[in-house]
Amino acid sequence: MVAAGEPRRFSCRVLPVRGKKDDNQLLQAIACPVSLAEGVRLQVVKRLIDIAASAAGLLLLSPLLAVVALVSRATLGPGVLFIQPRVGQGGRIFHIYKFRTMTLGDAPSADLSSDERRLTRWGSFLRQWSIDELPGLFNVLRGDMSLVGPRPLLVEYLPLYTAEQARRHEVLPGITGWAQVNGRNAVSWEEKFRLDVWYVDNRSLALDFKILAMTAAKVLRRDGISQVGHATTEPFRGSVPGESPSPTSPATTPAEPARKDPDAAI
């Protein structure tokens, strides 16, 4: 967002943004990219806030983190944390941390036929209240992520983005974001990416605080946790017809097939 009287360096365009009045209605909003100087100032201030907030959060929530880790160890077995490569700002790869919510299927009788069967009751509880995301505060403190930004997605998606969709990597990924408070996993990938790019073009501290407040309300209402027919959301399989994959997205071949995990899908 730009202060009154400050000229824009870029032209504006219309992008869809989900409105409050009707969850099925898309409102049109003008997306005006922030200037370079604006973006640098915002990045510095956001980083200071991220460091202070994540450090304070880890300290204050340490008893809860310890309890969750102990219960997860007792119910899910070894491997309390889910650690997976994700794509960060500028396409940089980092490892995201979450509490594990699914069985690894070590038992011979384990049913791995679907996400719904692998997702445990304890894991479902963690996901419903977004407690599984709390270890991500370590990523924020390290500088891999921000409190607010587009959600970091799988490395294997990199060659599938259009040039416009790939712009979501212009900023640090976040624990929560504009797409998460406007549908989370209940909306299509294309809509998520449009909302992500809208955030990139309109980011501000005021918008971040609004997203954090909306996130708290969403968590309490447990909205948008999954798509119909999926434990979370279906995998992203590429651009919609008529769009070309981004020429700037590096073609990557994962070292191993992505685990079909609800943690891997969001």
Side-chain angles (χ1 to χ4, degrees):
M1 307 261 178
V2 174
E6 183 178 344
R8 286 284 181 185
R9 295 188 182 181
F10 304 92
S11 61
C12 300
R13 60 180 179 274
V14 176
L15 289 176
V17 178
R18 182 173 291 276
K20 282 186 174 181
K21 295 182 180 179
D22 182 353
D23 283 342
N24 296 318
Q25 178 186 14
L26 289 178
L27 303 181
Q28 296 296 315
I30 298 297
C32 301
V34 295
S35 69
L36 178 60
E38 230 184 331
V40 171
R41 288 196 300 268
L42 179 60
Q43 186 172 351
V44 171
V45 175
K46 277 194 65 169
R47 182 61 191 141
L48 293 176
I49 293 174
D50 284 341
I51 292 173
S54 59
L58 288 170
L59 180 63
L60 295 174
L61 295 173
S62 56
L64 174 61
L65 293 172
V67 169
V68 172
L70 289 173
V71 176
S72 294
R73 177 65 174 81
T75 57
L76 298 175
V80 169
L81 292 179
F82 174 82
I83 304 174
Q84 188 181 57
R86 296 291 177 95
V87 182
Q89 185 176 23
R92 185 179 69 87
I93 309 301
F94 71 97
H95 286 84
I96 194 172
Y97 301 101
K98 296 184 180 186
F99 281 122
R100 185 160 64 89
T101 60
M102 301 182 74
T103 178
L104 295 177
D106 296 329
S109 59
D111 186 350
L112 308 181
S113 60
S114 67
D115 286 349
E116 290 80 0
R117 295 184 182 277
R118 292 182 61 199
L119 185 64
T120 65
R121 182 176 299 181
W122 171 247
S124 179
F125 170 79
L126 294 180
R127 287 191 49 79
Q128 285 177 2
W129 297 100
S130 296
I131 298 173
D132 62 316
E133 301 285 353
L134 292 180
L137 291 173
F138 285 107
N139 290 115
V140 176
L141 188 60
R142 285 163 46 112
D144 300 324
M145 296 173 61
S146 178
L147 292 176
V148 179
R151 285 293 296 166
L153 299 178
L154 296 174
V155 177
E156 67 182 77
Y157 291 170
L158 272 174
L160 304 179
Y161 298 125
T162 66
E164 182 72 3
Q165 291 167 352
R167 293 193 56 232
R168 66 192 308 277
H169 298 132
E170 292 178 10
V171 298
L172 281 174
I175 291 181
T176 186
W178 189 234
Q180 280 59 54
V181 298
N182 285 281
R184 199 175 174 181
N185 285 323
V187 298
S188 70
W189 282 108
E190 285 72 23
E191 186 176 346
K192 285 181 189 177
F193 295 146
R194 285 195 296 268
L195 294 171
D196 286 342
V197 173
W198 189 92
Y199 171 81
V200 170
D201 287 339
N202 290 271
R203 62 194 187 275
S204 69
L205 291 180
L207 180 58
D208 280 5
F209 287 128
K210 177 180 179 179
I211 290 172
L212 290 172
M214 292 175 68
T215 298
K218 284 276 185 181
V219 169
L220 292 176
R221 294 197 303 266
R222 291 180 287 179
D223 285 347
I225 296 173
S226 63
Q227 276 186 339
V228 177
H230 298 271
T232 52
T233 187
E234 62 179 346
F236 178 53
R237 304 189 187 281
S239 310
V240 296
E243 294 184 322
S244 302
S246 168
T248 59
S249 296
T252 57
T253 302
E256 59 182 8
R259 292 162 49 186
K260 193 175 181 183
D261 191 313
D263 293 322
I266 62 175

